[in-house]
Structures are given as C-alpha cells and as structure tokens.
C-alpha cells in the first residue's frame, strides 16, 4: 500500500470523528485502508479531546498506514465540529465520513464515492441508509420516529440521516451554514443550496467496544431546536438558479 505523494493531492479524504474510541479506532483505520486500497486516498481522524488513549493508539499506526493523519481538538467540541475540522483539513475534492465506533462498514465507502462521481457535479451528496440496524429496539424506534418527522417537515427525501457513512463534495459542504449537529441535516441543506442528493443501502454492525455518546432523550431535545433552525434556514433561502458571466 503506497502512500499518497507529498506533492500530489488525494482523490478521496476519509474523515472520522472520534471521542474515547481507543478500542475501536485502530481496527477501523486498518479497515478503511484496506477498503480504499488501490485508490489515491487519505484518512483523517479527528480526536475530539478524548480522555483515553485514542490519539496515542492512532499515532502509533502511522508507520503502518502512511495515508493516516491524526488531528486533535484541544477542547471537546462535538461530532459536527470534529467532522468540519476534518473536512476543512481534507486535501481531496471528495470526502467520505463515517462514525468512529466501528458500526459503519468502511467496505461500503468506495461504492458511495463511485455513485457520487458518476452522478456529475450537480450530485453533491450520497448518503448511506443502514439496513438491518444493529441497535437496541428503543434506539431504532426513536430513530424511526425522528427520521419520519424530519423527512416530513424538511422534505429532504432522506430515510436515515443518522447514518454517519456519507460521501460528498468538499466544496459543497463548506458552502453550508455551520451549526452543532449539522451532520444530521446535510441532505436538507444540500438541497437548499440547489444541489442534488442520493442514497444507497449500507451495512450496519454491532458496536464491539466503548459505549454510545448519545441518549434518546438528549437527542430529542437537540433535534427539536435543530429542526426549527433548519426550517427557518429553508424559509430564508433564495436560489438564483444559475450564474452566468
């Protein structure tokens, strides 16, 4: 597996936010490298001020995975900020994101990238939709309700915005207004900017180590204010349709 040359930008940047994932992160990094072998890629892990040995475990992998970069926040700022940090640091025009807990399958990433590229410049995002979710019944029920309400109110055509596995164009992402939890509203915000979005079924796996950083109740309260905010953004959008010179 050859590293990306220093003077050559990669074609794909895989961005992974992590917080207290010492057990999952090293294996996940190896899986990503194997999934994208043969492509010109980089892997950008963003450690959101973990309290365990996540950063050290990843740093130790650099000799084994030369495409690996490890960025670290000096203060915990949340998943959305970690994703944004990684996207801003990414050197490729196409970005793949996935959760750091190992439940997203990196093997699905290349197919999302291929679908995005084949869709042309108007297609800005391909989101994964988890099939046979390996979560508790309570979590799946809460997600089903939340996705249904969000889809009805925002008309974003997405069945599963909670899936961390997505491929998108870096330039399009950086055009979006940033706020905490933005990663759950990328389809709606991409559509607001006049882009197209698409979705593809992806695998979902059991969490093998660590524990979830979210609770159903905590996510509910955040979702209510986020939904109102995104609805307001949609109401204030005006699309020029195109720009000519």
């Amino acid at each position: 597996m050859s590293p990306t040359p220093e003077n050559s930008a990669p074609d794909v940047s895989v961005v992974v936010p992590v917080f207290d994932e010492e057990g999952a992160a090293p294996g996940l990094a190896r899986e990503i490298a194997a999934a994208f072998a043969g492509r010109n890629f980089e892997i950008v892990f963003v450690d959101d001020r973990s309290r365990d040995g996540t950063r050290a475990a990843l740093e130790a992998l650099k000799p084994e995975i030369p495409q690996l970069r490890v960025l670290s926040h000096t203060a915990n700022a949340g998943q959305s900020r970690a994703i944004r940090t990684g996207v801003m640091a990414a050197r490729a025009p196409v970005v793949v994101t996935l959760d750091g807990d190992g439940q997203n399958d990196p093997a699905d990433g290349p197919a999302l990238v291929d679908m995005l590229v084949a869709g042309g410049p108007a297609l800005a995002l391909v989101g994964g939709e988890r099939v046979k979710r390996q979560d508790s019944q309570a979590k799946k029920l809460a997600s089903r309700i939340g996705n249904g309400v969000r889809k009805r109110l925002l008309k974003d055509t997405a069945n599963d915005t909670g899936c961390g596995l997505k491929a998108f164009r870096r330039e399009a992402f950086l055009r979006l207004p940033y706020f905490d939890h933005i990663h759950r509203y990328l389809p709606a915000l991409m559509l607001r900017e006049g882009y197209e979005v698409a979705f593809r079924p992806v695998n979902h796996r059991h969490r093998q180590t660590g524990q979830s950083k979210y609770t159903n109740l905590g996510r509910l309260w955040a979702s209510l204010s986020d939904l109102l905010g995104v609805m307001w953004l949609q109401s204030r959008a005006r699309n020029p349709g195109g720009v000519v010179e």
Side-chain angles (χ1 to χ4, degrees):
M1 203 180 316
S2 58
T4 299
E6 290 295 328
N7 59 353
S8 173
D11 298 321
V12 179
S13 295
V14 183
V15 172
V16 188
V18 284
F19 176 62
D20 290 353
E21 296 290 358
E22 180 181 4
L28 182 59
R30 291 187 177 101
E31 283 191 281
I32 295 169
F36 285 87
R39 301 187 182 225
N40 188 10
F41 70 98
E42 66 175 358
I43 307 171
V44 184
F45 272 78
V46 182
D47 178 36
D48 191 26
R49 197 67 170 89
S50 292
R51 300 160 296 185
D52 62 5
T54 298
R55 178 180 176 181
L58 288 168
E59 292 283 0
L61 284 179
K62 285 186 174 181
E64 177 185 338
I65 307 175
Q67 296 91 345
L68 178 62
R69 301 168 60 193
V70 183
L71 310 181
S72 300
H73 286 169
T74 58
N76 180 268
Q79 184 176 354
S80 283
R81 178 54 77 174
I83 291 172
R84 184 171 175 81
T85 293
V87 174
M88 291 179 71
R91 298 187 297 130
V94 171
V95 173
V96 173
T97 62
L98 64 160
D99 292 338
D101 58 12
Q103 288 195 267
N104 295 141
D105 190 343
D108 287 317
L112 267 64
V113 171
D114 292 343
M115 185 173 174
L116 179 71
V117 173
L123 181 61
L125 178 144
V126 176
E129 292 187 344
R130 293 167 289 187
V131 295
K132 298 181 180 178
R133 283 189 60 178
Q134 304 301 311
D135 287 320
S136 68
Q137 289 300 320
K139 194 171 184 179
K140 287 190 284 188
L141 177 60
S143 180
R144 190 177 304 119
I145 293 172
N147 277 311
V149 172
R150 188 216 66 257
K151 185 177 180 181
R152 178 172 183 143
L153 293 178
L154 301 184
K155 298 178 174 56
D156 60 8
T157 73
N159 294 319
D160 183 19
T161 60
C163 180
L165 185 55
K166 297 178 175 73
F168 52 79
R169 300 186 188 278
R170 178 178 181 270
E171 179 185 11
F173 177 91
L174 294 177
R175 288 175 180 264
L176 306 180
Y178 171 76
F179 55 90
D180 199 17
H181 300 144
I182 185 180
H183 62 280
R184 296 184 178 279
Y185 297 92
L186 292 184
L189 294 171
M190 290 289 190
L191 291 170
R192 175 181 181 268
E193 289 295 317
Y195 294 112
E196 297 174 3
V197 300
F199 305 94
R200 180 186 173 91
V202 296
N203 188 30
H204 193 239
R205 311 186 293 192
H206 284 287
R207 174 186 269 276
Q208 299 297 319
T209 65
Q211 58 184 5
S212 175
K213 311 306 186 293
Y214 296 98
T215 64
N216 287 339
L217 185 59
R219 186 175 292 167
L220 172 63
W221 288 118
S223 296
L224 291 175
S225 61
D226 291 341
L227 266 174
L228 292 174
V230 176
M231 290 171 67
W232 180 85
L233 284 171
Q234 288 180 323
S235 73
R236 304 305 296 164
R238 299 183 69 180
N239 197 312
V243 180
V244 297
E245 182 176 357

